[in-house]
Amino acid sequence: MHKATFEQSYKMLNNKQKEAVDTIDGPVMVVAGPGTGKTEVLALRIANILIKTDIGPHGVLCLTFTNSGVFAMRERLKKYIGEASGEVQVSTFHSFAQKIVEKHYALLDMESMPILIDEQDSVLLFDEILHKNEWEYLRPRNNPSQYFHDLKSLISLLKRESITAESFGKMIDEEIKIIENDPESISSRGESKGQLKKEVEKKIESLLRSKEAVTFYAIYEKTKREQGYMDYDDVLAYALNIINISDDVKSEIQENSQYVLIDEHQDSSGIQNQFLKTIWSEVERPNIFVVGDDRQLIYGFGGASVTFFEEFKSSFGKAHLITLVDNYRSTQDILDTADVLLTSTMAEGKLISNTKESSIVELYTCEYERDEVLLAGQLFKSHIDNGVEPSHCALLVPKNRNVRSAVRILKDMGLPVSVGNNSSFFDMNETYILKNILKAINDPYDSVALGELLFIPNSSIAPLEAHAFLKSTNTRNLSVEDFTKYTKDNSVDLFSDSNPIRALGKSLESFMEINKNGDIYTLLQLIGKEFFIDKTGEHDELVRYAEVIRTYLHLALSHIEKHPHTTLGEFIEYLDRLESYNHHIPLATIGVQSGINVMTLHASKGLEFDVVHIAHMNENSLMNGRRRGFILPESIENIVETKDELTAKRELYVAITRAKRHCTVSYAQTSLSGSTLTVARIIGEIGEKNIKQNKVEDSIKIIGGENPLTYIENNSQKEIVGMKELADIVAKEYMDKNVSVTLLNNFFECPWKWYFNSFLQLPTPKTESLTLGSVVHISIEKILKDKIKVTDKVLGEIVENALDKEIVKDKSLRQRINKNAKKILTNWARNYYPHIHSSYMTERSVSYHDKNFPHLKMYGKIDLTENYDGGITVTDFKTGSSKTKGMIEKRDEEGRLSTLMRQLAMYSYLLTGQNVTQSKLLFLEVDHKDKNAVYSGKVTQEEIDLLVRDISDYDKALSSGGWTTRTCNFKPYGGEQSECEYCKKSEIYKNK
């Protein structure tokens, strides 16, 4: 015991802190605002217990919520009690519960200790269940992982509340019954009088959809038990069950933990509070000490509730209540802003700063979201120039995707950035490159992977050379052999090593030989050395390469340890599955990266920085939680913390109080997709007395005034290599490509999408949705061409043949597509096929030469053309969801047609001279009674003129070379992808 150090630190405490340290008996509750020294109080209190009682260090239990909290507490304790700190039980709730399960699992009738499933295995288990079972809703073919996070959250919620799959199903049934019997659910007017209201019908349908999650939950629990796993939520549930079963275990815990301290108690979930009550509620005035702050409860989604925190006042007898308000972190200006934003319902008095420094919180308005990060970067630069360490600066943002984009922007500004766990393995370009190398080694005919390898920066292949190679090769059947046999300009250089494409092919062949030994770990090391480590001389690049390879090696070792006979193909599939679920794997960083901290508002909890900038504080970003995929019964909905104004205030409160000296906030007026944004209402309500308002002009001045180069990323300012030569080559060759609607749609979305997909025809992966669409189109063409009478048996044969034609070999994939295709085709055969005019053409190929573009050939293939006496009707068959008339006819910011209307206009244009009286889009998967099942209209001359304008703009951009600088119109549609993959790929044409 370092008693002198303890006494010295104790003297520095204020009166309330001393009271918390000295009151060691009975239940004690401390409401501690941010920066009030609660960690110091906890550590000194433990030391005081050891000084004033005969309890040994092992008799003290301190429970925290994070591993970092455990580490911080041990470091503090070491300062006061020396080596004895290792004997104090400092643990997270889950680690403590896991030890109980490890010791007493036999009480649960388990033959062996269940293995705690890690995040990777959890993803694979969910994936296995989704793939091996039939699902109507849970596995949408266009995004099979769509409900993954919702399912995980729902199952976690149900388990925390001890709700079984059976009970959950009954709750849904009871909810439906209540809704159906509610007089308010019945329409009292109009044609639907006496029937369920439309909105009520939709709610019931949503609840029925949620019942599929009940089935998943039951299968998940069964599969997990069979495989000997337990998940994170099982740990506390099992421990609680053991305590309920055995009084001996309960008594043992009571004897071993006579003094209990709990940090961040406001974040305790229902099951964690039940855990405490089950053990200690029968003990008269147990020595339990909790510290927390109702304003900092930001883990409501994890089951925490301020009610649990408030209940402690009487849960174990009347608790001694202490409030800490003296703040040793922030300026009074920062604290006043935080207090105006959110007042504690439990603390007595406002936070009082112990520093005399003053710096009012400022709010900046920016034009765009990206400008907010540029602004933050410039503010950080200013502080760093004035002596603030970069590691003492923090940029806080609402979501993980904001973190990743902000890190990239700050790095492009030349600022040091501390990545920490924020850098994701699957976000690294090198991860993608190495995986494509592995795919090419595993399958030398993987045309998608091989096509991508031609455009990697470390292949030594000049972009124009890759261009020339692809123009001379059948890209649909690309193979490693095509690489090894390639000669430039048909010259005989078969034995020359100067041809980088052939050299790449030879390298892949050599690795294919090494792979025959089945040693994935060694293979990764050798690939990493040849393709990455040996190709760079720059330190930063070398570190980045090494980190990616190191992460690959860690993953390989971990996976092979569990599955010793894993093949390369299985390892690649394992990586693909993790990536498909957007699973975050932190990059295995080398050394400590010191720099500006970038993190989410949630992740900043418990930390402090001299300078804090809080970005993206518009209403949508701050208030919108992630939309849940399932409607829940009202009985469960009531226990789910929703993203309301109070939870948003708590998030912002935590973020503001991380700042010690300077705090700035920003929001943008316009989103990435071009929509208008507004500042979060809760910020607007703070008032100018506590937050200084700055205009757009102020932000522009800080970012760089009127200098437009300030707004351009560093890599966009790099000298372009061969771009003029590329533009010249394309200008000579683009006329060889037929102008189709797909080509135009690609071009106007992104000129680089046109270049890689339409011009070079670089192979792309075929998704389940595209494969289904192809199978349906092939089947309909067969039926129409041969005028087949459709029966279930005939339809089955047609679909099977179409699947063979599409080369669908995966058994589960084939079964899903077969089932969905037959369902779609049955709907079409019953409701549309009988009404087709007797005079028709199917899959009609049409070409057209316009005298205004004599050098171009227009081409298209029309699914169905019907010849009526009054004219022609053209129909295009669509799988997938339907689109409303408004969406189809809507024009973009440039006044251009939507992709679907451009398609219909193209058909009328191709059939110039023929009377197209009607153009249809038939959405095959929609009920034929749905008003959006068929879009029908007549293409106007105005729409054809707009199409011709598109062709003219396309022609001018390609002939002049202007396409290389044309603006990309890629729009993010939610999720994690916020940048255009084709623009990113085009960076191969720029210097490093």
Side-chain angles (χ1 to χ4, degrees):
M1 175 72 73
H2 300 169
K3 196 170 181 181
T5 306
F6 167 80
E7 289 176 350
Q8 184 180 356
S9 295
Y10 179 82
K11 288 177 182 177
M12 296 176 69
L13 299 178
N14 62 45
N15 290 336
K16 286 292 182 181
Q17 288 174 327
K18 286 178 180 176
E19 183 182 350
V21 170
D22 289 335
T23 312
I24 60 175
D25 296 323
V28 179
M29 183 178 191
V30 175
V31 181
T36 54
K38 68 178 180 62
T39 307
E40 182 78 344
V41 165
L42 279 165
L44 288 169
R45 190 174 192 276
I46 291 172
N48 199 32
I49 289 168
L50 299 180
I51 291 171
K52 292 183 176 178
T53 72
D54 57 0
I55 296 294
H58 56 273
V60 178
L61 171 65
C62 181
L63 296 175
T64 73
F65 282 82
T66 62
N67 289 323
S68 60
V70 171
F71 178 78
M73 182 55 65
R74 287 208 179 280
E75 289 298 300
R76 292 278 183 121
L77 284 175
K78 194 179 292 184
K79 177 180 172 184
Y80 300 125
I81 62 176
E83 294 304 315
S85 62
E87 298 179 47
V88 177
Q89 300 177 75
V90 183
S91 173
T92 64
F93 255 106
H94 277 82
S95 293
F96 183 69
Q98 189 172 350
K99 288 177 183 175
I100 296 171
V101 178
E102 286 173 355
K103 191 174 181 181
H104 304 288
Y105 65 84
L107 292 172
L108 300 175
D109 294 326
M110 294 178 177
E111 294 181 2
S112 59
M113 170 66 187
I115 300 167
L116 182 62
I117 192 169
D118 63 23
E119 281 298 311
Q120 272 88 282
D121 284 332
S122 175
V123 172
L124 298 182
L125 181 58
F126 271 69
D127 181 65
E128 177 186 328
I129 296 170
L130 285 171
H131 273 80
K132 286 187 175 180
N133 297 275
E134 290 283 333
W135 306 106
E136 188 173 352
Y137 304 108
L138 297 187
R139 195 181 182 280
R141 63 175 175 271
N142 61 332
N143 184 9
S145 63
Q146 179 175 336
Y147 293 109
F148 169 66
H149 294 289
D150 291 304
L151 281 168
K152 283 198 76 175
S153 297
L154 176 61
I155 289 173
S156 182
L157 171 70
L158 295 174
K159 292 172 79 167
R160 287 196 307 270
E161 299 300 325
S162 301
I163 300 170
T164 64
E166 184 181 10
S167 300
F168 182 45
K170 286 180 179 177
M171 287 180 183
I172 293 175
D173 290 335
E174 288 169 7
E175 180 85 358
I176 291 172
K177 195 177 291 183
I178 290 170
I179 293 171
E180 288 177 335
N181 294 329
D182 185 351
E184 292 296 318
S185 299
I186 308 299
S187 177
S188 59
R189 62 181 68 180
E191 294 180 5
S192 61
K193 185 176 180 180
Q195 300 175 1
L196 288 173
K197 295 175 181 175
K198 288 290 183 186
E199 61 270 24
V200 172
E201 286 182 345
K202 286 185 178 179
K203 185 173 183 180
I204 290 173
E205 285 175 11
S206 297
L207 284 165
L208 288 171
R209 187 169 66 244
S210 296
K211 283 200 74 171
E212 197 165 71
V214 175
T215 305
F216 184 96
Y217 182 20
I219 295 172
Y220 170 77
E221 289 296 290
K222 181 174 181 290
T223 306
K224 182 161 52 65
R225 283 194 303 271
E226 289 173 349
Q227 296 184 7
Y229 286 128
M230 66 177 175
D231 61 25
Y232 192 71
D233 293 301
D234 287 329
V235 176
L236 276 168
Y238 287 167
L240 182 58
N241 199 2
I242 287 168
I243 295 163
N244 280 319
I245 289 171
S246 173
D247 287 336
D248 290 340
V249 175
K250 186 195 298 185
S251 298
E252 180 184 321
I253 295 170
Q254 290 170 352
E255 289 173 15
N256 292 339
S257 308
Q258 296 189 38
Y259 283 88
V260 182
L261 301 91
I262 301 163
D263 192 13
E264 304 284 8
H265 186 254
Q266 79 279 347
D267 290 331
S268 293
S269 66
I271 196 168
Q272 287 166 330
N273 277 276
Q274 188 59 40
F275 180 78
L276 297 174
K277 288 179 182 178
T278 303
I279 298 173
W280 284 287
S281 63
E282 295 176 4
V283 177
E284 186 177 354
R285 295 193 60 76
N287 299 319
I288 301 180
F289 175 94
V290 300
V291 59
D293 181 10
D294 56 304
R295 290 162 294 191
Q296 296 187 72
L297 192 163
I298 60 173
Y299 293 108
F301 61 86
S305 170
V306 72
T307 304
F308 300 139
F309 185 43
E310 291 173 336
E311 284 177 351
F312 185 84
K313 287 185 286 187
S314 57
S315 292
F316 302 93
K318 187 177 181 181
H320 185 90
L321 183 63
I322 302 168
T323 301
L324 304 182
V325 294
D326 286 322
N327 179 283
Y328 299 91
R329 176 190 300 159
S330 307
T331 67
Q332 193 63 51
D333 290 321
I334 291 170
L335 298 180
D336 287 344
T337 301
D339 271 326
V340 170
L341 176 70
L342 189 61
T343 303
S344 171
T345 59
M346 303 175 70
E348 299 170 357
K350 294 183 177 182
L351 293 171
I352 302 167
S353 175
N354 275 261
T355 176
K356 301 302 180 184
E357 195 170 343
S358 177
S359 177
I360 192 166
V361 178
E362 296 192 57
L363 172 66
Y364 287 92
T365 305
C366 294
E367 290 183 290
Y368 297 98
E369 292 170 292
R370 183 171 170 274
D371 295 351
E372 294 183 70
V373 184
L374 295 173
L375 169 73
Q378 294 293 355
L379 292 172
F380 292 145
K381 273 185 179 180
S382 176
H383 287 296
I384 292 168
D385 289 344
N386 287 323
V388 176
E389 289 292 324
S391 58
H392 294 169
C393 300
L395 173 59
L396 309 183
V397 292
K399 298 178 175 64
N400 283 320
R401 60 182 173 84
N402 301 136
V403 170
R404 292 192 277 273
S405 61
V407 166
R408 189 162 54 247
I409 294 166
L410 291 176
K411 281 186 173 181
D412 283 335
M413 293 178 72
L415 290 165
V417 180
S418 175
V419 176
N421 286 336
N422 292 322
S423 189
S424 178
F425 175 65
F426 289 120
D427 282 342
M428 306 301 290
N429 195 39
E430 291 77 17
T431 299
Y432 185 62
I433 292 169
L434 208 159
K435 188 156 64 132
N436 276 322
I437 293 170
L438 293 176
K439 287 182 175 181
I441 293 167
N442 181 63
D443 178 6
Y445 298 96
D446 188 332
S447 58
V448 174
L450 290 167
E452 293 291 340
L453 291 181
L454 290 166
F455 291 92
I456 62 175
N458 40 0
S459 69
S460 301
I461 300 170
L464 296 180
E465 190 162 12
H467 173 108
F469 169 71
L470 287 171
K471 294 297 290 180
S472 67
T473 308
N474 181 355
T475 56
R476 292 183 181 179
N477 299 310
L478 203 58
S479 69
V480 170
E481 188 178 5
D482 290 324
F483 284 28
T484 59
K485 290 185 176 180
Y486 176 62
T487 59
K488 301 178 188 177
D489 304 320
N490 297 315
S491 60
V492 182
D493 59 349
L494 296 177
F495 303 102
S496 170
D497 292 329
S498 63
N499 184 327
I501 293 176
R502 185 182 303 113
L504 175 59
K506 292 292 184 185
S507 289
L508 293 173
E509 281 187 338
S510 68
F511 286 123
M512 286 160 62
E513 283 298 315
I514 294 169
N515 182 47
K516 289 178 181 178
N517 296 325
D519 186 351
I520 298 171
Y521 188 84
T522 300
L523 181 67
L524 286 167
Q525 287 179 310
L526 294 173
I527 293 171
K529 184 176 187 303
E530 179 172 327
F531 278 91
F532 297 93
I533 304 303
D534 291 347
K535 294 284 178 76
T536 181
E538 298 179 13
H539 175 72
D540 289 347
E541 193 173 55
L542 181 65
V543 169
R544 189 173 74 249
Y545 288 170
E547 288 175 342
V548 170
I549 296 162
R550 187 185 186 196
T551 311
Y552 259 107
L553 294 171
H554 287 181
L555 284 169
L557 277 177
S558 173
H559 189 64
I560 292 167
E561 185 179 339
K562 297 170 188 171
H563 311 280
H565 304 294
T566 295
T567 64
L568 179 59
E570 289 166 342
F571 180 63
I572 293 167
E573 183 186 356
Y574 163 69
L575 295 173
D576 282 341
R577 287 162 74 188
L578 293 178
E579 186 177 12
S580 71
Y581 287 95
N582 295 319
H583 180 56
H584 173 67
I585 298 175
L587 202 63
T589 53
I590 297 172
V592 178
Q593 294 174 310
S594 179
I596 297 164
N597 300 273
V598 184
M599 61 187 71
T600 62
L601 308 183
H602 271 84
S604 71
K605 189 172 180 180
L607 303 175
E608 58 182 44
F609 309 95
D610 280 342
V611 180
V612 169
H613 184 87
I614 307 167
H616 309 314
M617 289 295 99
N618 58 284
E619 183 73 11
N620 287 343
S621 294
L622 191 58
M623 290 301 300
N624 285 359
R626 192 172 58 83
R627 289 180 62 186
R628 295 201 307 269
F630 305 105
I631 295 289
L632 300 177
E634 200 167 303
S635 53
I636 298 179
E637 194 76 54
N638 290 336
I639 62 175
V640 178
E641 179 99 14
T642 56
K643 192 66 180 285
D644 59 11
E645 185 172 298
L646 180 58
T647 55
K649 282 185 175 181
R650 288 173 184 160
E651 276 189 349
L652 186 57
Y653 181 89
V654 166
I656 290 172
T657 54
R658 299 312 93 196
K660 295 163 71 173
R661 297 167 56 202
H662 302 281
C663 180
T664 49
V665 184
S666 67
Y667 79 100
Q669 293 179 326
T670 310
S671 73
L672 284 169
S673 58
S675 58
T676 301
L677 302 175
T678 57
V679 67
R681 184 164 47 84
I682 61 175
I683 293 176
E685 291 175 353
I686 291 175
E688 292 188 15
K689 179 182 176 182
N690 294 103
I691 189 164
K692 180 184 174 184
Q693 309 277 333
N694 293 290
K695 298 178 181 179
V696 173
E697 293 76 14
D698 301 313
S699 300
I700 291 173
K701 188 175 180 180
I702 292 172
I703 292 170
E706 299 300 319
N707 180 10
L709 290 179
T710 310
Y711 294 87
I712 303 174
E713 295 182 0
N714 284 359
N715 60 15
S716 295
Q717 299 176 44
K718 295 169 183 176
E719 181 186 351
I720 295 175
V721 176
M723 194 63 81
K724 184 178 185 308
E725 291 89 339
L726 176 66
D728 289 343
I729 291 170
V730 169
K732 294 172 184 175
E733 296 178 351
Y734 82 95
M735 292 172 282
D736 296 336
K737 292 290 176 189
N738 292 336
V739 179
S740 66
V741 70
T742 301
L743 177 146
L744 291 174
N745 286 340
N746 284 344
F747 183 81
F748 288 109
E749 180 183 332
C750 172
W752 288 103
K753 183 175 183 179
W754 166 84
Y755 174 72
F756 287 112
N757 279 11
S758 300
F759 186 71
L760 290 184
Q761 294 185 314
L762 207 60
T764 54
K766 197 160 189 180
T767 63
E768 184 172 333
S769 291
L770 288 174
T771 304
L772 174 65
S774 296
V775 168
V776 169
H777 276 77
I778 291 168
S779 300
I780 290 178
E781 182 187 8
K782 174 70 175 172
I783 293 167
L784 290 174
K785 188 176 180 181
D786 296 346
K787 302 185 186 303
I788 295 172
K789 183 178 179 181
V790 178
T791 64
D792 288 345
K793 182 181 178 182
V794 169
L795 192 57
E797 291 172 354
I798 290 171
V799 172
E800 283 295 330
N801 288 332
L803 285 163
D804 289 339
K805 201 169 184 179
E806 285 295 297
I807 318 176
V808 181
K809 294 180 179 179
D810 181 89
K811 189 176 179 181
S812 60
L813 176 63
R814 191 177 179 102
Q815 286 175 343
R816 287 197 303 273
I817 293 177
N818 187 312
K819 178 185 175 183
N820 288 322
K822 284 196 284 192
K823 182 179 178 181
I824 292 167
L825 291 165
T826 299
N827 176 51
W828 172 78
R830 286 177 181 169
N831 300 305
Y832 301 105
Y833 184 26
H835 307 295
I836 293 174
H837 194 276
S838 57
S839 176
Y840 67 80
M841 291 180 66
T842 179
E843 291 292 319
R844 180 181 177 185
S845 295
V846 186
S847 60
Y848 174 63
H849 285 278
D850 189 328
K851 64 180 181 179
N852 294 307
F853 310 104
H855 51 292
L856 298 177
K857 179 184 177 183
M858 318 305 169
Y859 174 81
K861 187 178 279 189
I862 305 173
D863 288 343
L864 178 65
T865 309
E866 296 171 90
N867 300 303
Y868 292 91
D869 291 340
I872 297 171
T873 295
V874 296
T875 302
D876 191 77
F877 301 131
K878 297 290 182 187
T879 51
S881 59
S882 62
K883 302 291 184 290
T884 64
K885 185 174 186 289
M887 291 170 69
I888 294 167
E889 295 180 353
K890 185 179 180 180
R891 297 176 188 175
D892 67 12
E893 296 86 348
E894 294 182 315
R896 299 189 191 277
L897 302 171
S898 71
T899 57
L900 291 175
M901 185 54 74
R902 185 182 284 133
Q903 183 171 11
L904 295 181
M906 175 64 88
Y907 292 160
S908 291
Y909 176 64
L910 291 170
L911 295 172
T912 296
Q914 302 181 49
N915 185 19
V916 180
T917 57
Q918 196 174 32
S919 299
K920 293 182 180 180
L921 295 169
L922 174 52
F923 296 98
L924 297 165
E925 296 188 64
V926 182
D927 188 292
H928 69 287
K929 295 179 182 177
D930 191 302
K931 67 177 183 178
N932 296 320
V934 180
Y935 170 83
S936 180
K938 179 175 171 57
V939 173
T940 65
Q941 186 59 47
E942 179 189 0
E943 288 160 340
I944 292 176
D945 289 342
L946 287 172
L947 173 70
V948 171
R949 186 191 80 167
D950 288 346
I951 296 170
S952 177
D953 289 349
Y954 162 81
D955 186 35
K956 289 173 184 175
L958 271 297
S959 61
S960 68
W963 67 275
T964 59
T965 55
R966 184 178 172 81
T967 302
C968 172
N969 290 311
F970 166 78
K971 298 283 174 65
Y973 296 101
E976 296 296 312
Q977 187 185 5
S978 59
E979 64 178 329
C980 174
E981 61 176 299
Y982 299 98
C983 287
K984 190 174 179 180
K985 194 180 295 183
S986 74
E987 290 176 7
I988 186 67
Y989 286 98
K990 298 163 189 175
N991 266 332
K992 296 178 186 176

